[in-house]
Amino acid sequence: DVVLTQTPSTLSATIGQSVSISCRSSQSLLDSAGNTYLYWYLQRPGQSPQLLIYLVSNLGSGVPNRFSGSGSGTDFTLKISGVEAEDLGVYYCMQVTHAPWTFGGGTKLELK
Amino acid sequence: QVNLLQSGAALVKPGASVKLSCKASGYTFTDYYIHWVKQSHGKSLEWIGYINPNSGYTNYNEKFKSKATLTVDKSTNTAHMELSRLTSEDSATYYCTNWELDYWGQGVMVAVSS
């Protein structure tokens, strides 16, 4: 199975600070058709996960543009340009290039 | 609007089975696969598999092939997941999701204890 390693596991930030989360894959997520199926989710406390970014860098519906995704192959990054209080929770990367679909271990974003 | 309403949360004994339900509304049920995801307490997410509500075709994560059985009832727009031979390792919150549209159920907790 593809292993997704997220760093850091915990991130402390102040409101307005910009932060980045890394997601490294044990295999390339580029498929034979040239697509990279890497997604980012946010799970707020007590809620279900919600999509932030799809296909590496595309913003999900209704997601603020302070969120951005980048990367290729095995290395991916989620950036939040100016953390807001509503951004607190656990962030997960997920890949669906290879079966079975797998998630990273999560990065908890908390207020400093 | 789209909604996935889950039911079946339970406290069950080791060795027993439990059937979880996921009732879809607000879209054409047979147009989108229903996926199931496991989240052990305080831990990450695991993809269990999906079912095509139109054909009944299923695709499982190998890890859950002998644990989970996915079915649908098209007459009620409901997807079901049965978990069998439960152990403490199965204690978790389980989500159903219309992954393509990014709609998730609220999650249901299964606690396995004697």
Side-chain angles (χ1 to χ4, degrees):
Chain A
D1 296 0
V2 171
V3 176
L4 298 178
T5 302
Q6 288 184 234
T7 54
S9 55
T10 304
L11 195 48
S12 296
T14 56
I15 299 300
Q17 183 180 351
S18 292
V19 298
S20 293
I21 300 169
S22 170
C23 175
R24 288 191 167 170
S25 174
S26 60
Q27 300 178 35
S28 174
L29 299 184
L30 179 67
D31 77 354
S32 56
N35 301 307
T36 302
Y37 295 96
L38 188 283
Y39 298 74
W40 290 96
Y41 287 85
L42 165 62
Q43 186 175 31
R44 296 188 175 97
Q47 295 187 18
S48 305
Q50 66 173 94
L51 179 68
L52 296 174
I53 301 286
Y54 63 96
L55 300 176
V56 180
S57 59
N58 296 278
L59 217 54
S61 175
V63 175
N65 60 12
R66 63 180 178 274
F67 291 94
S68 62
S70 62
S72 64
T74 60
D75 289 344
F76 304 92
T77 301
L78 174 71
K79 183 177 180 179
I80 310 173
S81 299
V83 168
E84 297 192 6
E86 65 180 20
D87 301 337
L88 304 184
V90 182
Y91 291 79
Y92 295 98
C93 56
M94 174 190 179
Q95 69 81 26
V96 306
T97 298
H98 303 284
W101 298 2
T102 52
F103 294 85
T107 296
K108 184 177 183 180
L109 177 61
E110 56 187 27
L111 275 181
K112 190 181 292 183
Chain B
Q1 70 275 26
V2 174
N3 191 39
L4 296 175
L5 182 62
Q6 294 186 241
S7 59
L11 172 62
V12 292
K13 294 190 184 308
S17 298
V18 67
K19 193 169 188 177
L20 309 180
S21 299
C22 173
K23 183 173 178 58
S25 59
Y27 72 97
T28 302
F29 180 60
T30 51
D31 281 354
Y32 298 92
Y33 297 177
I34 292 288
H35 297 248
W36 291 85
V37 173
K38 175 184 180 182
Q39 186 169 38
S40 301
H41 181 66
K43 295 190 176 179
S44 186
L45 303 156
E46 292 181 276
W47 176 75
I48 296 171
Y50 69 74
I51 185 166
N52 179 339
N54 190 43
S55 65
Y57 172 80
T58 53
N59 183 17
Y60 293 94
N61 182 338
E62 195 70 32
K63 177 179 178 180
F64 293 95
K65 261 188 176 177
S66 59
K67 174 61 63 178
T69 301
L70 306 183
T71 56
V72 294
D73 180 347
K74 288 193 283 188
S75 69
T76 60
N77 288 353
T78 303
H80 302 281
M81 178 173 68
E82 183 168 18
L83 301 170
S84 60
R85 296 179 302 278
L86 292 166
T87 72
S88 59
E89 294 296 306
D90 300 314
S91 294
T93 296
Y94 293 88
Y95 295 97
C96 64
T97 169
N98 176 328
W99 183 78
E100 282 83 356
L101 295 180
D102 190 39
Y103 285 96
W104 294 64
Q106 81 277 19
V108 290
M109 287 186 58
V110 174
V112 182
S113 175
S114 53

